[in-house]
Amino acid sequence: MSTDSTQKVAIVTGASRGIGKAIAEKLAKDGFLAALVARDEEKLSTVQKEIEAGGGVACTHVCDLAQRGAFGALIEQIFEEYGRIDVLVNNAGMTRDGLMLRMSDEDFDEVINVNLRSVFEGCRVAVRPMMRGRFGRIINITSVSGISGNAGQANYASSKAGLIGLTKTIAKEFGSKGITSNAIAPGFIETDMTAELGEEIRKGVEKTVPLRRYGQPEEIASAVSFLASDGGGYITGQVLVIDGGLTC
Ligand code: NAD
């Protein structure tokens, strides 16, 4: 892997598959060094090889975001290694669906921990080098569930709504330091996460979504690419909904 200190560094969590993989591939194509974060080393190194085969630069970092302190420590390590952090895409997320009356405390806590607390922890560390460089782009992947709520997702919807509050707060606290902070709220995107919902739900969604199909991970990645680019420099504190018109 060839790196130089003028190459901008973009950290992408949940980069082993789905939306995170597409984001990492797109940012590498845009010229960023893509720092890929997830739990599965083998899958991460497959993504790294694909990026490198396309002429991009990537490194891999195994991290369980559920572990308190782990993500912050990893970001410090990436900064020490590469000397800069320009973009942080908090994409990793999980679900533990169930109706509220039956939802366990453990399932609530775990989802909040991974989807929200780890993002707070990562952003708190990443903003320091970003402030020093007077440039930073934080992009948090939330969900339409975080805007509208969703039966069976008290934990997930709360975590994603919290992410929107965090995104806007970062925009206000760090805008004067050259850091932008935005959220992207996908609707139904074709990944392992939605595959779990099954064919029946997919058919129902495809009947009601104005664009009549699930979105593709690349359609989220292109928006991340724009927000991370110079052209996205005056956008901050926003939530960009990408849902084929589901919630319009
Ligand atoms: P996915 O399940 O296919 O991938 C999730 C990624 O997050 C994986 O790389 C996984 O390893 C990583 N991850 C999960 N828990 C982790 C942990 N504890 N530590 C480290 N990494 C962890 O999901 P996806 O569909 O690609 O979703 C990506 C993001 O988009 C998530 O935040 C999800 O909530 C959000 N989202 C997805 C959809 C959709 O329709 N797919 C819709 C709205 C929002």
Side-chain angles (χ1 to χ4, degrees):
M1 184 179 64
S2 65
T3 60
D4 66 79
S5 62
T6 59
Q7 185 172 29
K8 284 185 175 173
V9 173
I11 299 173
V12 183
T13 66
S16 61
R17 64 182 195 216
I19 295 171
K21 176 175 184 272
I23 292 170
E25 287 171 348
K26 177 68 177 132
L27 292 179
K29 274 207 184 88
D30 291 347
F32 289 94
L33 184 159
L36 317 174
V37 179
R39 286 166 302 181
D40 188 323
E41 187 159 23
E42 219 176 294
K43 283 191 191 155
L44 279 178
S45 71
T46 304
V47 179
Q48 180 186 25
K49 282 186 195 126
E50 284 171 18
I51 288 174
E52 287 172 351
V57 184
C59 56
T60 63
H61 303 272
V62 174
C63 180
D64 181 0
L65 300 173
Q67 301 296 319
R68 196 172 282 272
F71 189 37
L74 174 62
I75 291 185
E76 267 169 21
Q77 185 197 317
I78 292 172
F79 175 62
E80 270 167 34
E81 208 161 318
Y82 300 103
R84 58 191 297 162
I85 291 169
D86 300 279
V87 177
L88 173 60
V89 185
N90 292 298
N91 161 80
M94 62 173 293
T95 52
R96 282 279 182 277
D97 293 355
L99 291 171
M100 206 172 91
L101 288 176
R102 285 190 223 127
M103 187 174 284
S104 67
D105 288 356
E106 289 73 23
D107 282 351
F108 187 83
D109 288 350
E110 192 182 358
V111 170
I112 296 289
N113 232 358
V114 172
N115 294 5
L116 180 59
R117 187 200 45 75
S118 76
V119 177
F120 163 70
E121 194 184 281
C123 290
R124 195 175 48 184
V125 177
V127 289
R128 290 185 186 278
M130 286 177 174
M131 279 194 288
R132 257 177 260 142
R134 300 212 54 90
F135 179 93
R137 300 284 162 84
I138 291 173
I139 301 159
N140 295 325
I141 308 301
T142 176
S143 167
V144 291
S145 294
I147 299 170
S148 310
N150 195 20
Q153 291 197 312
N155 48 6
Y156 182 79
S158 302
S159 71
K160 294 300 190 180
L163 215 42
I164 292 172
L166 178 63
T167 301
K168 289 173 183 274
T169 300
I170 293 169
K172 287 180 174 165
E173 286 194 14
F174 298 97
S176 66
K177 311 290 182 194
I179 298 171
T180 68
S181 170
N182 292 288
I184 290 176
F188 288 87
I189 309 299
E190 193 170 338
T191 67
D192 290 356
M193 190 179 266
T194 43
E196 275 176 25
L197 302 174
E199 265 312 292
E200 212 166 299
I201 290 198
R202 182 181 183 129
K203 282 188 189 133
V205 169
E206 286 176 347
K207 270 193 203 129
T208 49
V209 172
L211 290 180
R212 297 286 187 272
R213 62 177 177 86
Y214 273 16
Q216 291 302 311
E218 292 71 23
E219 293 174 304
I220 304 300
S222 58
V224 171
S225 163
F226 173 62
L227 290 172
S229 73
D230 290 343
Y234 199 55
I235 303 171
T236 197
Q238 302 305 307
V239 183
L240 176 59
V241 177
I242 304 180
D243 67 352
L246 177 72
T247 58
C248 72

